[in-house]
Amino acid sequence: MRKIAMLGSGFIGRFYAESIHGQRGRDRVVAIYARREESAKKFAADYGCSIWGTNMEEVIAHPDVDMVCIALPNNIHEAAVMLCAKHKKAVVSTKPLGRNGEEALRMMKAVEEAGIFAGYLEDLCYTPKFLKALESVKSGALGRILWAKSRETHPGPHSDWFWDKEQAGGGCMLDLGCHCVEISRNFIGKDVKPVEVMCWAATQVKPIDAEDHAIALVKYENGAIGQFEVSWTFRGGMDLRDEVMGTEGTIWINNFLRTGFEMFTTGKGADYVAEKAESTTGWLFPVGDEVNDLGYNHMFTDMFNAADQGREPAETFYDGYVVNAVLDAAYRSAETRQWEPVHLPVWRGREGLTQESTLVEYDENFYLIKEEVTHDGRHKVILKDKETGRILERDLT
C-alpha cells in the first residue's frame, strides 16, 4: 500500500485521487496540501484524508506519508521536489516537469542524488490505445518509424495560473506540447536523440502574453521526424490524436473527441460530459471512463508497481527533463524562425546515429521505388537504374 500526500487540491489533483483510490484498490491519498485552508479541508473530506494542511513541508515530512504526488502549478514543482529530496520521500510529478530544461535538470539531479523513487506523470503515454499502439511499434509491425505526429487542442485550461506566463513558464506549447513530444519520443525510440526543432507559435485569440497556438517539427538523429500541433483556441472540446508512420505501416489514434460514443440532447437534465467539453446540448461526445481513457489508471499502476519492485517506471524525471529541453528549443525557434538545436547536457541514449538506407533492391540493375496495380488492372513497377539514376516504369502484365 502506498500512503500518498497530494500536493494540490485542484482539477488535476482530484483526477489523480480518483485514479489512485480506484485502480489497484490498496493505495490511498492520506494527506493533502493546499494553499488555502478551505480547499485543503474540502479535499480531505471528499477523499478521506486524515492529514491536511497549508504548510507544504509539514505535509511532505509527515511520518504517515511514504510518497508525494505533485499536482501544483509549474512554478512550484521545483520547490516541492527539493523538499521530497530533503525528506527522502518518493515523488511523482505532474507534467511538465519544469518550466524549462534547467529547472527539470535540477529536479532530476536532486532525486537521483537523494536516492529516492521519482516518476513523471505523463498520462497520455499510458492511455490504453497508446499502449497497444506502442506494443505494435516495438514488435516491428510498422517497420522503421519515419514520422510520429501528436495533436492536442482544446479551448484552454481550467485554472488561472496556466494563463500567467511567469507561473506556467509558457503557454499551450509547454502545457500540451509536453504530452506530444513524449508520445513521439516513445514511438521513435527514447534512446534516439532529438537534435533540432523548427517551430511556429503565436498568440492568435487569447488576451495573454504566452502563445495560444503552436506547430513544430522535431528532428531526431536517426532521421525520424516528430511533429506536434497544440492549441488553446480550438473550439468543440478536447482533441487528442496521434499518428505514426513507418516503412511497413501506419497507426492512427483518436483518444478522446470522436471515439464511437455520440449523443444528441436538447439539454434537458444536462450535466458534465467530458473534460473541456464546451456544450451540454446538441451532438455531444461523452467519454465512457475518463480517468481510464486518459491513462491515469495505467500510469499510477506502473508508478506504484515500479516503486514496490525497485525499478524505474516507464516515465521518469529523466524523460521529463528531455521533454523540457526539446520545448526550450521550440521556444527559441519560434523567436528566431530557424532550426534550433536541442541542448541536452545529460544524454543517456545512443550516440552517432545516422539515417538508415531506404534503398530496396529490385534486381542487380534496379532499385524498387513502387509496385502497384492500377485502376485499369495493370501490374507495374517503378524503378531506378543503379548506374544511371534514370527513373522508369515497367508493366508486369
Side-chain angles (χ1 to χ4, degrees), residues 182-195:
E182 188 62 357
I183 287 168
S184 293
R185 284 189 68 230
N186 272 274
F187 286 131
I188 292 168
K190 287 193 195 178
D191 59 346
V192 181
K193 192 174 187 178
V195 291

Side-chain angles (χ1 to χ4, degrees), residues 14 83 203 285 311:
R14 287 176 171 270
L83 287 173
T203 309
F285 311 104
R311 63 169 174 84

Side-chain angles (χ1 to χ4, degrees), residues 23-35:
Q23 179 65 350
R24 293 206 313 177
R26 63 181 184 268
D27 309 294
R28 302 301 298 175
V29 178
V30 299
I32 175 66
Y33 157 78
R35 287 170 290 177

Side-chain angles (χ1 to χ4, degrees), residues 36 40 60 67 128-129 158 168 187 199-200 221 223 239 311 314 333 396:
R36 295 188 299 273
I60 290 172
M67 178 177 280
K129 291 179 182 178
H158 302 284
F187 286 131
C199 178
W200 167 88
E221 195 175 43
D239 187 14
R311 63 169 174 84
S333 176
L396 301 182

Side-chain angles (χ1 to χ4, degrees), residues 24 26 117 300-311:
R24 293 206 313 177
R26 63 181 184 268
F117 176 88
F300 280 111
T301 297
D302 177 48
M303 293 294 159
F304 298 151
N305 286 345
D308 291 350
Q309 296 161 12
R311 63 169 174 84

Side-chain angles (χ1 to χ4, degrees), residues 52-106:
W52 63 268
T54 58
N55 183 303
M56 184 162 59
E57 183 166 10
E58 287 181 2
V59 172
I60 290 172
H62 196 285
D64 288 343
V65 168
D66 61 28
M67 178 177 280
V68 175
C69 182
I70 298 173
L72 296 166
N74 298 347
N75 61 316
I76 313 176
H77 289 190
E78 185 173 7
V81 168
M82 295 307 171
L83 287 173
C84 292
K86 175 182 175 181
H87 293 283
K88 304 292 185 180
K89 295 295 178 80
V91 59
V92 291
S93 177
T94 192
K95 60 78 196 173
L97 184 57
R99 290 178 293 178
N100 53 59
E102 291 181 356
E103 276 190 0
L105 183 57
R106 288 195 297 268

Side-chain angles (χ1 to χ4, degrees), residues 112-133:
E112 290 180 352
E113 289 169 3
I116 58 175
F117 176 88
Y120 179 49
L121 299 180
E122 180 41 80
D123 60 287
L124 294 187
C125 290
Y126 288 97
T127 69
K129 291 179 182 178
F130 173 85
L131 293 174
K132 184 66 174 179

